[in-house]
Amino acid sequence: MSLLPLAAQMDEDALEDKLEAAKADLSDEYGQNHKYPWIIGFSGGKDSTLVLQLAMEMLLELPPSERKRTVHVVSNDTLVEAPVVADLVDRTLDRISDAVTAMRLPIVVAKTAPKVDQTFWVNLIGRGYPAPSRTFRWCTDRMKIQPTSHYIRSRVSENGEVILLLGVRRQESATRAVSMSRYDNGERLNGHNDLKGCKVFRPIVDFSTDEVWTTLLQRRPPWGGSHRDLVALYKDGQGGECPLVLSKDDAPSCGTSSSRFGCWTCTVVVKDRSMAGFIEAGHENLEPLMDFRDWLAEIRNDPARRSARRRNGQTTFLADGSLVPGPFTPTARREILDRLHQVERATGRTLITAAEIEAINRIWAEDAAAVVASVEATALEAVS
């Protein structure tokens, strides 16, 4: 007989019923008479972790002969993820990969990332884009939306349609609730507004935050270990995960006042509270990263570090006649790269890849050649 108080026992029973209902819903959808694969958007945060856990538990409860549809577990890596979060996600993905192989589950683990010519550093240091702001948030589309959207479209091309499982909940925030309403047609599956052939399935949409945490604290993940590191991550970072993003409307976490895990380079937020939380919790090695991020935000609007012309050679003026500054100057870009290398040496982490540096050098050479060509053209016009 349980020693829990009657009210607590009733709450526990209600949660168990809710979890079983969610798994039954998953099982019913999985058993539909078609071969459209599932794609689980996995950020490594609490909500996507619960969706993956319930999906794996459901698959394990099915006879092997009924596990006919492939499930893709897809995580997006912007290549500038907060190190503590990135390390946890990588460890979790490795465990999942090992587990699904041993269990012979039809699960494919994949990670998406921006193309080399669209990474944060290639755009900021190579092309001179100013550090992202609320009015010029160029990073979300290139680093988050495009890579995962490409993966989904590829699966649609192969299979005709896919079903995207997302760990979004109405209670998470008012903004997310409004965003979710775009996909709410009263049915279990909702067509995605931006991805043709992609249906959205939200298995935990009506779960509360307490119910999510209670489940993760009481149930071990099917891939082994525990959720202890995940709990510590939230406690230390004082925030929530930056979710899978497939459209700009799905990215309220960037630039809000909330404390969320995301890119350590994010200058859209005024202060990176999650990074500050990690440092206060004992991750002092991250302090050079936070200082560098703060410096990027500080120099973003420095006119001495910005060109007068945009990359297309044009100048832009506001209605009051003031000049809209262009990209970082070549000198400023080299300064940023030098300081980034200093941060690498201070932290012992590789923060920019050789492929990115190669792409940056190519862009710099093209920009220098364009300047020479412009000077020569001006000189010829003057002579003629």
Side-chain angles (χ1 to χ4, degrees), residues 36-342:
Y36 302 143
W38 282 7
I39 298 178
I40 298 178
F42 183 72
S43 69
K46 66 183 187 308
D47 297 326
S48 62
T49 296
L50 179 57
V51 170
L52 177 57
Q53 174 150 347
L54 294 177
M56 283 188 66
E57 288 179 3
M58 179 274 296
L59 286 173
L60 288 168
E61 291 169 6
L62 291 178
S65 61
E66 295 181 17
R67 302 169 189 165
K68 296 180 179 180
R69 291 161 64 187
T70 304
V71 176
H72 298 256
V73 177
V74 181
S75 179
N76 174 250
D77 183 2
T78 62
L79 305 181
V80 284
E81 298 293 322
V84 179
V85 180
D87 291 346
L88 175 60
V89 171
D90 285 343
R91 291 197 305 271
T92 304
L93 291 177
D94 287 343
R95 280 187 170 181
I96 294 168
S97 296
D98 292 341
V100 299
T101 299
M103 297 172 180
R104 298 183 179 181
L105 294 176
I107 293 179
V108 175
V109 178
K111 183 187 288 187
T112 63
K115 295 179 180 179
V116 172
D117 69 340
Q118 292 299 332
T119 68
F120 184 85
W121 300 124
V122 171
N123 278 306
L124 185 118
I125 299 175
R127 297 184 176 92
Y129 285 13
S133 64
R134 294 191 184 188
T135 56
F136 188 34
R137 195 173 68 181
W138 52 262
C139 49
T140 304
D141 183 62
R142 292 167 173 81
M143 294 156 50
K144 295 177 77 71
I145 297 174
Q146 290 185 18
T148 306
S149 293
H150 175 73
Y151 186 93
I152 292 174
R153 289 192 179 102
S154 296
R155 304 293 83 75
V156 171
S157 178
E158 295 169 357
N159 302 278
E161 191 171 297
V162 299
I163 297 173
L164 176 65
L165 281 70
L166 296 177
V168 292
R169 296 179 296 106
R170 288 194 178 91
Q171 195 192 73
E172 186 181 5
S173 72
T175 305
R176 292 293 284 177
V178 171
S179 175
M180 287 162 52
S181 67
R182 297 184 307 132
Y183 308 117
D184 196 352
N185 61 5
E187 303 292 334
R188 180 162 60 196
L189 301 184
N190 296 257
H192 195 283
N193 286 12
D194 302 315
L195 294 171
K196 186 177 180 180
C198 176
K199 296 289 183 63
V200 178
F201 181 14
R202 302 165 299 183
I204 63 168
V205 65
D206 293 318
F207 277 63
S208 69
T209 300
D210 286 345
E211 288 171 335
V212 172
W213 278 123
T214 298
T215 303
L216 295 178
L217 289 167
Q218 292 182 351
R219 298 165 82 137
R220 289 185 174 275
W223 50 87
S226 71
H227 296 299
R228 191 172 301 167
D229 289 346
L230 180 61
V231 174
L233 183 75
Y234 276 79
K235 178 176 177 294
D236 293 345
Q238 305 172 10
E241 75 274 17
C242 194
L244 183 84
V245 175
L246 296 173
S247 78
K248 292 180 180 179
D249 292 332
D250 293 335
S253 54
C254 296
T256 65
S257 60
S258 64
S259 177
R260 285 186 178 273
F261 314 139
C263 303
W264 69 267
T265 55
C266 183
T267 51
V268 178
V269 295
V270 176
K271 180 181 180 180
D272 190 340
R273 291 184 177 85
S274 66
M275 183 68 80
F278 288 136
I279 293 170
E280 290 174 7
H283 298 278
E284 292 90 353
N285 60 311
L286 300 179
E287 195 160 356
L289 275 69
M290 188 170 71
D291 291 343
F292 181 84
R293 174 263 175 209
D294 291 345
W295 177 73
L296 280 181
E298 179 184 328
I299 69 169
R300 175 171 52 198
N301 297 318
D302 180 2
R305 290 184 168 94
R306 299 282 291 274
S307 300
R309 295 180 181 273
R310 304 181 71 175
R311 289 192 59 79
N312 59 9
Q314 298 179 346
T315 53
T316 304
F317 296 90
L318 296 175
D320 62 3
S322 59
L323 176 70
V324 177
F328 282 125
T329 64
T331 300
R333 296 181 220 176
R334 291 184 181 278
E335 178 188 15
I336 295 170
L337 181 59
D338 289 342
R339 289 192 63 149
L340 180 61
H341 285 318
Q342 292 175 13

Side-chain angles (χ1 to χ4, degrees), residues 330-368:
T331 300
R333 296 181 220 176
R334 291 184 181 278
E335 178 188 15
I336 295 170
L337 181 59
D338 289 342
R339 289 192 63 149
L340 180 61
H341 285 318
Q342 292 175 13
V343 176
E344 285 187 313
R345 290 190 290 271
T347 61
R349 298 185 70 98
T350 299
L351 302 174
I352 184 170
T353 66
E356 288 176 295
I357 292 176
E358 182 180 347
I360 288 169
N361 285 329
R362 184 181 66 252
I363 293 171
W364 284 358
E366 292 170 354
D367 286 355

Side-chain angles (χ1 to χ4, degrees), residues 10-23 207:
M10 290 174 64
D11 288 344
E12 189 174 89
D13 290 344
L15 176 56
E16 187 62 29
D17 290 343
K18 195 169 186 175
L19 290 166
E20 290 306 310
K23 283 203 296 184
F207 277 63

